[in-house]
Amino acid sequence: EVQLVESGGGLVQPGRSLRLSCAASGFSFDDYAMHWVRQIPGKGLEWVSGVSWNNNSVAYADSVKGRFAISRDNAKSSLYLQMNNLRVEDTAFYYCAKGVTQYQLLYFDYWGQGSLVTVSS
Amino acid sequence: DIVMTQSPDSLAVSLGERATINCKSSQSVLYNSNNKNYLAWYQQKPGQPPRLLLYWASSRESGVPDRISGSGSGTDFTLTISSLQADDVAVYYCQQYYRTPLTFGGGTKVEIK
């Protein structure tokens, strides 16, 4: 059974940093691209970032480019999102999502339960 | 960026009746070299993460009931629930994966009339 478990969320002040983690199990982690998707409570979905199986190809939403960095550790079956210079508008649930190919960033067939990040002074 | 626009924002349908959700992209998501539409649909119930329903515009994910179907090509797409069940109450999102940044529609809330 595919499982994606996010951790690392919480309350943080504007301008500070936070690192999210996603522990994956139930599939061959290094066979798939991985993504982060966020959702402001009660609002729609926003793709944040995606990474190919080997970290060689990454992409970001314009809203986080230059502030967030995605990475993965295949040996640990883990995905990360380093979030720097956080803004109030980054407040959201952050979902880890599994891609469907190694390289291409396409759609998402499994999602974690989400981790809430609240940016507030 | 490719902008995805869904309509309506919400709809109420009687049990057993048809529900139709539209999704329009600001540019074509049909890749001519393989004749595939780079579009997916998701269902999200309250308190849950999204669930993949359809990909390549009309391919059903494993376990998705056949009353849920997708159609369309290029810039205009439709998700149809042929006979609405109580379990279908949710918000539905379309998503294009033709190019990054990957983008979603704003969502359509489906309720029982």
Side-chain angles (χ1 to χ4, degrees), chain A residues 39 47 106-108 111-112, chain B residues 42 44 49-50 55 95 97 102:
Chain A
Q39 184 173 37
W47 174 80
L106 302 179
Y107 56 93
F108 327 103
W111 299 63
Chain B
Y42 302 86
Q44 187 177 31
Y55 52 96
Q95 176 234 331
Y97 48 97
L102 308 180

Side-chain angles (χ1 to χ4, degrees), chain A residues 107, chain B residues 39 41 52-62 64 70:
Chain A
Y107 56 93
Chain B
L39 185 106
W41 288 95
L52 176 66
L53 297 177
L54 303 163
Y55 52 96
W56 304 125
S58 61
S59 295
R60 207 175 286 114
E61 176 70 343
S62 175
V64 173

Side-chain angles (χ1 to χ4, degrees), chain A residues 35 37 39 43-47 59-62 95 100 104-114, chain B residues 1 38 40 42 44 47-52 55-56 61 93 95-97 100-106:
Chain A
H35 302 261
V37 178
Q39 184 173 37
K43 301 298 183 183
L45 299 167
E46 180 188 20
W47 174 80
Y60 298 94
D62 290 344
Y95 293 103
V100 295
Q104 291 178 292
L105 304 181
L106 302 179
Y107 56 93
F108 327 103
D109 60 353
Y110 289 92
W111 299 63
Q113 289 297 312
Chain B
D1 299 2
Y38 282 51
Y42 302 86
Q44 187 177 31
Q48 296 184 17
R51 171 197 180 193
L52 176 66
Y55 52 96
W56 304 125
E61 176 70 343
Y93 296 93
Q95 176 234 331
Q96 67 79 21
Y97 48 97
T100 57
L102 308 180
T103 49
F104 291 90

Side-chain angles (χ1 to χ4, degrees), chain B residues 15-31:
Chain B
L15 288 172
E17 296 301 305
R18 178 184 299 262
T20 301
I21 301 169
N22 301 302
C23 173
K24 187 175 183 66
S25 57
S26 61
Q27 54 190 275
S28 176
V29 297
L30 173 63
Y31 194 39

Side-chain angles (χ1 to χ4, degrees), chain A residues 26-40:
Chain A
F27 66 101
S28 182
F29 185 71
D30 56 6
D31 276 347
Y32 298 97
M34 295 294 294
H35 302 261
W36 291 99
V37 178
R38 69 184 181 183
Q39 184 173 37
I40 297 171

Side-chain angles (χ1 to χ4, degrees), chain A residues 57-78:
Chain A
S57 177
V58 298
Y60 298 94
D62 290 344
S63 58
V64 306
K65 203 173 292 184
R67 300 188 299 122
F68 289 12
I70 191 171
S71 63
R72 61 190 294 163
D73 184 337
N74 290 339
K76 295 182 178 179
S77 295
S78 293

